[in-house]
Amino acid sequence: MKKIITAILILSLGFYGCKDAKESAETISKEKKISDLSIYNLPSEWANQDGKNIELKDLKGNVLVMVMIYTTCKAACPRLVADMRDIESKLNENSKKNVKLILISIDPETDTPKKLKAFSIANKMENDPWIFLRSTEENTREFAAVLAVNYKKISPMDFSHSNIISIFNPEGELIYQQEGLGVNNNDTVNRINLEAEKIK
């Protein structure tokens, strides 16, 4: 965790001021200022499966559950997708509306928005709370470092990569990681529900 926090500190490229909070201090507001450890300090642009360009700070105010995959993967990625679907199926209905489940491509050259859209439809993940993102190779590498995800191209269509699912609180701070394939996800689900239910 210390390595991840250090990486975020190194990669934080500035502090973005926010509007004054409109809600009480007891609730988490989408207008709350972000800390130096927040991924919302990163200015990188991403395209989603609908071809819409967004910045990470556009996701502020939600609990983010993120994993890095690539759509042509035949080994670990299908299992990671299954793990994400399993997490989604166990979330409380009240908290689910405050959660975004995000799959980020480590192969932006192949995974165009059109390809991500087709993948989302094939896996019945085309609707909210599912989001698929791609960016430049540089932005992808930078964000992988934040998540402590290592990946390497080992052939024209294959990558070796870490199998990590990361949870960020509504302020964009990393609070938990699940590592491995098909592992017990009770702690992961509990952390997501706990954070999401704080949001009013």
Side-chain angles (χ1 to χ4, degrees), residues 13 27 64 96 132 142 189:
L13 301 177
T27 60
L64 309 181
K96 196 177 291 187
F132 290 76
E142 179 181 67
V189 172

Side-chain angles (χ1 to χ4, degrees), residues 63 87 90-96 99 186-198:
V63 177
I87 289 170
K90 294 178 179 178
L91 295 178
N92 297 336
E93 288 303 315
N94 286 338
S95 61
K96 196 177 291 187
V99 175
N186 289 341
D187 288 344
T188 303
V189 172
N190 288 338
R191 289 299 295 269
I192 297 168
N193 281 328
L194 182 64
E195 286 297 320
E197 287 171 1
K198 293 178 185 176

Side-chain angles (χ1 to χ4, degrees), residues 73-85 165 180-183:
C73 177
K74 304 300 182 186
C77 297
R79 191 59 185 269
L80 285 171
V81 170
D83 286 346
M84 290 284 281
R85 291 174 67 102
I165 294 174
L181 299 171
V183 299

Side-chain angles (χ1 to χ4, degrees), residues 1 7 30 46 61 66-67 73-74 81 83 123 160:
M1 184 66 77
K30 291 189 177 183
W46 301 77
M66 293 185 167
V67 68
C73 177
K74 304 300 182 186
V81 170
D83 286 346
N123 286 277
S160 62

Side-chain angles (χ1 to χ4, degrees), residues 23-42:
E23 298 182 5
S24 66
E26 288 81 26
T27 60
I28 294 175
S29 168
K30 291 189 177 183
E31 303 300 326
K32 185 175 178 180
K33 289 186 177 180
I34 56 178
S35 77
D36 292 339
L37 297 179
S38 175
I39 58 172
Y40 302 139
N41 291 308
L42 299 173

